[in-house]
Amino acid sequence: MQRDSFFQKHPKITRSLKKFIHEYEEKLAPETFAAFLESLSEELTRASEDFAAVPPGPARARKLHELVEQEIAQGAEIEISCKKGCSACCHMEVEITSYEAEILATLVTEGHVIDRGRLQKQSERSLQDGQWKQGIRNLESKCVFLNSEGACSIYEHRPVMCRRHSVTSPAKNCETLDAPITLRYFPRVDLLISAANEDSEMQIGPLAKMLQMKVQA
Ligand code: SF4
């Protein structure tokens, strides 16, 4: 399969899977790369069809979470720096799906207490808003689900982007943002997320905006 046909067929793959593909393109002979794209395309289509077999909505999001957790568990031997209480990444903008927004909105409407004022303010910010780049130094950027102990208060229900984010560089780099941050990378997790993104009924957007829309509806 040629590169252009692949990207036309799978326009919603994640940025990191795109980067992974580009790296392979540089390393492989053209015919090997074409065969790699063919097989990747087949896997994406198969995974996308598996998701389509699950009813759209929270059940589909939970299916993705379950499969992603299984993949991540296979890399448990890789040492990561993330620990309970270190929460710099929970002060950055996280993208979620509309199905995940439904899960979070249900928790909130059923009584999970969050700072609705902060949610409102965060939902009005753009992706380019400089406050997001300040990370943990900006308390207004704190995710509304982060509790006073620096832990996720909805851990079992957290979005897929929170599940996949595992840092291998020193944790202090995430706080100071003045040194490189490296992440544990699972190509199959990216493949699953990319396959789930092929769902035309599902939207993707910033957590605060998506949640605010659902709780207001
Ligand atoms: S949902 Fe939980 S893990 Fe994700 S950013 Fe918010 S507090 Fe952090």
Side-chain angles (χ1 to χ4, degrees), residues 89-90 94 143 145-146 152 154 158-159 162 207:
C89 58
C90 301
V94 173
C143 174
F145 294 110
L146 192 64
C152 178
I154 49 135
R158 70 201 187 288
C162 306
L207 186 154

Side-chain angles (χ1 to χ4, degrees), residues 13-213:
I13 62 171
T14 62
R15 276 191 295 272
S16 39
L17 187 58
K18 250 185 215 157
K19 185 168 169 268
F20 179 78
I21 293 169
H22 289 318
E23 283 168 5
Y24 257 49
E25 189 174 17
E26 282 170 15
K27 286 183 202 152
L28 300 177
E31 61 279 11
T32 315
F33 180 63
F36 161 72
L37 286 185
E38 186 69 48
S39 124
L40 186 58
S41 176
E42 281 168 16
E43 274 209 66
L44 277 165
T45 305
R46 209 166 24 243
S48 170
E49 285 168 359
D50 288 348
F51 285 123
V54 179
R60 219 175 262 183
R62 291 199 191 281
K63 180 74 190 167
L64 174 64
H65 294 173
E66 182 195 319
L67 295 174
V68 163
E69 289 295 344
Q70 283 169 11
E71 290 298 330
I72 290 175
Q74 291 185 30
E77 77 290 348
I78 303 170
E79 201 172 323
I80 58 161
S81 318
C82 310
K83 296 203 171 39
K84 193 171 181 184
C86 99
S87 56
C89 58
C90 301
H91 291 72
M92 293 174 182
E93 197 174 43
V94 173
E95 284 205 323
I96 66 170
T97 68
S98 45
Y99 301 156
E100 291 175 326
E102 277 182 55
I103 295 176
L104 302 182
T106 301
L107 293 170
V108 172
T109 50
E110 286 181 351
H112 190 93
V113 178
I114 59 166
D115 183 336
R116 299 284 280 262
R118 191 162 77 243
L119 178 69
Q120 167 78 41
K121 280 194 210 149
Q122 288 178 356
S123 73
E124 289 163 2
R125 286 201 215 158
S126 71
L127 189 62
Q128 288 76 26
D129 189 303
Q131 290 185 79
W132 293 118
K133 294 197 176 66
Q134 294 167 346
I136 202 164
R137 289 172 299 211
N138 188 325
L139 291 180
E140 283 299 305
S141 294
K142 181 175 153 178
C143 174
V144 292
F145 294 110
L146 192 64
N147 68 19
S148 55
E149 279 120 44
C152 178
S153 61
I154 49 135
Y155 192 76
E156 293 304 313
H157 308 280
R158 70 201 187 288
V160 72
M161 288 305 172
C162 306
R163 292 168 195 266
R164 78 186 295 223
H165 191 87
S166 307
V167 171
T168 51
S169 44
K172 71 172 176 41
N173 295 7
C174 304
E175 290 181 18
T176 56
L177 295 175
D178 59 1
I181 296 169
T182 52
L183 301 174
R184 182 173 60 173
Y185 183 61
F186 292 100
R188 248 201 94 69
V189 167
D190 247 343
L191 183 141
L192 289 166
I193 296 173
S194 300
N197 288 353
E198 292 191 356
D199 181 343
S200 58
E201 294 175 56
M202 187 184 83
Q203 291 85 45
I204 299 173
L207 186 154
K209 268 194 180 59
M210 300 287 276
L211 178 57
Q212 178 69 0
M213 273 192 307

